[in-house]
Amino acid sequence: MRVAIIGAGYVGLVSGACFADFGHVVSCVDKDPDKIAALRQGKMPIFEPGLADLVAKNVRAGRLSFSGDFRDAVREADAVFIAVGTPSRRGDGFADLSFVHQAAREIAPVLDGYTVIVMKSTVPVGTGDEVERIIRETAPRAQFAVVSNPEFLREGAAIADFKRPDRIVIGAEEERTKTVMTELYRPLYLNHAPILFTSRRTAELTKYAANAFLAMKVTFINEIADLCEKVGANVQEVARGIGLDNRIGSKFLHAGPGYGGSCFPKDTLALIKTAQDYDAPIRIIETVAAVNDQRKRAMARKIIHACDGSVRGKIIAVLGLTFKPNTDDMREAPSLSIIAGLIDGGASVRAYDPEGMEQARHVLDGVEYAEDPYACAEGADALVIVTEWDAFRALDLERIRDALKQPILVDLRNIYRADDLAEHGFTYVSVGRPELRPEARDAAVDLATRKRAAS
């Protein structure tokens, strides 16, 4: 089949590369000439594991191309995917649909023969109706159908998610349209991926409901972590204890500094605004969004407390800037609020991230960047782990301790064990876990000393 994808951003590029790998002929269209020029040279505008190789493979095979002109791509397409951005609108936080509406107006006059218009962008309920109205108004004779096909891609694992999805949700009711969409996803039958056909509005709401529920799980376990610290319980064991219940599940029950990224903050806010507009407010998600915003700043206070209540004049080393590992995405990353809080407290911040520093320079002021974790820690008064990159899970702790001015490690992702850090002489602070008692810490240090002496 021939596929046109409007928007060569994260969703559009991943979807286009994967559809091409299925054997379809795909043209990704974007108005940014620099992005198109870079893609034609094999340079990816985003960091996503495996994407560059997948794009190169399908470009060589002649199944994937990039263009700044949508007309030929749309005219020849069986399906046109709209995958443009829907950022939060300034002022009210509602999803900004201007790019979606603009795409609809521009492709309408070019449609030739029956074409399925697929909404891949995350959009509020009723957007498909408006896109259909715009196209019919612009091109009354056009033969088309508008379908909702929300994406459920995790940054850092997007290719695997596209090729081995939990489900494919398609908001389409006409049999002719269902046939086209079924053929597009036919290669996934081998993976037994269920296709759920629903009404268009149901599909649109399903995307928002899924992200809101996951954001709620993250926020729930973070609040349980705060309670654990007060009562002396261990949030990781609590999470395991409830996650083994099949009705709850273990995913998204990892306590930390709060959620960020391109989806959860934007989509929860858009759902809140949509619910308010329809006079059906979702109070629980309103609370989730508020609590998450407060938590990020609270992590800065946690770090300040670990530094004897003040960071003024001190150097704080931060490992991890992106909102999660295996991406360079800095959108709504917890590090932004944490670093702002530290700088407001008078600290100097030095940071390192394996992929995110270039993007961080655009959104963070007054931060020094290091070439590796050890250079980051050199002479710092404390080290903070904000993002759980694999590279940070097996640091040379003795080298880190010797590099620091003060052996303070604040682990906001709980990737280390308290007794291991105590053996290496650290003052260790984590999230939702009881601090090591003085006698246990002394015993761990004594054991480590004897081990070193014996070796």
Side-chain angles (χ1 to χ4, degrees), residues 347-363:
S348 297
V349 175
R350 185 188 303 137
Y352 170 75
D353 188 283
E355 294 291 340
M357 290 191 291
E358 182 177 348
Q359 296 298 325
R361 286 185 173 94
H362 298 301
V363 292

Side-chain angles (χ1 to χ4, degrees), residues 59-222:
V59 168
R60 286 195 303 269
R63 293 188 296 265
L64 179 62
S65 61
F66 303 99
S67 175
D69 188 345
F70 63 89
R71 286 173 293 188
D72 287 343
V74 170
R75 190 176 295 115
E76 298 172 358
D78 300 296
V80 177
F81 283 75
I82 296 178
V84 297
T86 54
S88 295
R89 190 167 61 194
R90 288 186 179 182
D92 61 4
F94 199 78
D96 183 350
L97 300 176
S98 58
F99 299 117
V100 171
H101 295 162
Q102 182 180 0
R105 290 188 187 95
E106 291 180 351
I107 66 176
V110 188
L111 296 175
D112 184 13
Y114 183 78
T115 309
V116 177
I117 311 299
V118 187
M119 288 303 311
K120 203 68 173 170
S121 301
T122 300
V123 294
V125 175
T127 302
D129 298 350
E130 180 64 11
V131 167
E132 181 176 341
R133 186 197 65 78
I134 290 171
I135 295 176
R136 292 203 185 283
E137 183 180 85
T138 308
R141 297 184 179 181
Q143 300 178 47
F144 70 97
V146 177
V147 171
S148 174
N149 177 212
E151 55 85 14
F152 299 98
L153 306 179
R154 296 168 299 158
E155 292 189 41
I159 293 172
D161 285 347
F162 195 98
K163 292 188 172 184
R164 291 180 288 279
D166 297 319
R167 76 290 199 197
I168 302 161
V169 177
I170 299 173
E173 297 175 16
E174 298 177 14
E175 288 304 317
R176 188 177 183 182
T177 307
K178 290 181 180 179
T179 299
V180 172
M181 296 303 294
T182 300
E183 183 63 21
L184 274 172
Y185 283 106
R186 183 175 54 82
L188 293 182
Y189 290 174
L190 296 175
N191 296 333
H192 304 288
I195 296 182
L196 174 64
F197 284 104
T198 72
S199 70
R200 193 162 61 200
R201 286 192 166 218
T202 299
E204 290 170 339
L205 185 55
T206 298
K207 166 66 175 181
Y208 279 113
N211 277 354
F213 188 84
L214 295 176
M216 183 175 63
K217 285 187 75 173
V218 171
T219 305
F220 172 81
I221 202 64
N222 283 340

Side-chain angles (χ1 to χ4, degrees), residues 407-408 418-419 421-428 435-448:
I408 299 172
D419 52 356
L421 270 293
E423 285 187 18
H424 287 85
F426 283 91
T427 297
Y428 178 68
E435 293 186 17
L436 209 60
R437 293 181 178 178
E439 59 270 22
R441 187 176 186 279
D442 292 343
V445 172
D446 181 61
L447 177 61

Side-chain angles (χ1 to χ4, degrees), residues 249-315:
S250 61
K251 293 183 178 180
F252 289 84
L253 288 179
H254 303 287
Y259 62 75
S262 62
C263 292
F264 285 7
K266 173 177 69 71
D267 294 352
T268 51
L269 190 55
L271 180 61
I272 289 167
K273 298 300 181 182
T274 298
Q276 290 172 348
D277 284 351
Y278 281 89
D279 197 25
I282 305 179
R283 302 297 188 198
I284 191 169
I285 304 304
E286 292 177 7
T287 302
V288 164
V291 169
N292 187 68
D293 284 344
Q294 295 161 8
R295 183 168 188 79
K296 296 175 185 179
R297 189 78 178 193
M299 293 298 100
R301 295 194 294 272
K302 187 180 187 73
I303 297 163
I304 292 170
H305 179 74
C307 296
D308 296 325
S310 175
V311 292
R312 187 163 300 281
K314 296 180 180 180
I315 300 173

